[in-house]
Amino acid sequence: MKNKLLVVTVILFISLFYSLRADKQIHVTTSQDPPSIKMWLAIDKYAKQYNIPLQYAYGIAYEETRYTGPFDWDYDPALTSYAGALGPMQIMPMTDEWMNKTKFDKKRLLYDIDYNVKTSMKLLRYLHNKYKNWQIVFGCY
């Protein structure tokens, strides 16, 4: 329990620090950026765009793929669950098709961090608009 609290505190501190810094900078991801940086930038961008509290967006990322922030150098976002959910935010293929109104593309959902995070934030916004309660949203997710 103590370790979980420490991890959550560190994630919140890092996300707060970098979200304050990110407002003053523009950073375009490159192919050389490590996945942890791409993930951090995507979460920051799409959480703001879809009005998702940053701590909730980072909490989902941690719960789904154990993402712990921009300095998580060993982070591997290209994960698949036993149920078939893909990528850093563990999006199901049918959810991808529904949220993005597009044909499912396994490679894109699995390897395109920006696309995966955007899909997740769109889903969170949809669910919150529908239920108006974050606990229900997290249960649905």
Side-chain angles (χ1 to χ4, degrees), residues 37-52:
I37 297 293
K38 290 179 184 179
M39 184 75 166
W40 169 69
L41 291 168
I43 289 173
D44 188 65
K45 176 182 176 182
Y46 293 115
K48 288 176 184 171
Q49 181 176 333
Y50 290 99
N51 196 25
I52 306 299

Side-chain angles (χ1 to χ4, degrees), residues 29-47 58 61 65 67 69 72-79 86-91 96 100 105-122 141:
T29 60
T30 67
S31 60
Q32 290 82 26
D33 285 333
S36 61
I37 297 293
K38 290 179 184 179
M39 184 75 166
W40 169 69
L41 291 168
I43 289 173
D44 188 65
K45 176 182 176 182
Y46 293 115
Y58 284 110
T65 57
Y67 176 71
D72 186 355
W73 303 125
D74 295 327
Y75 178 64
D76 179 11
L79 300 176
L86 300 166
M89 301 300 271
Q90 292 292 281
I91 304 295
D96 173 39
N100 295 309
D105 180 348
K106 183 176 181 175
K107 269 187 155 176
R108 185 172 190 196
L109 196 57
L110 189 59
Y111 298 110
D112 186 340
I113 293 171
D114 195 72
Y115 179 78
N116 191 288
V117 171
K118 181 178 182 180
T119 302
S120 174
M121 296 302 118
K122 283 169 68 174
Y141 193 95

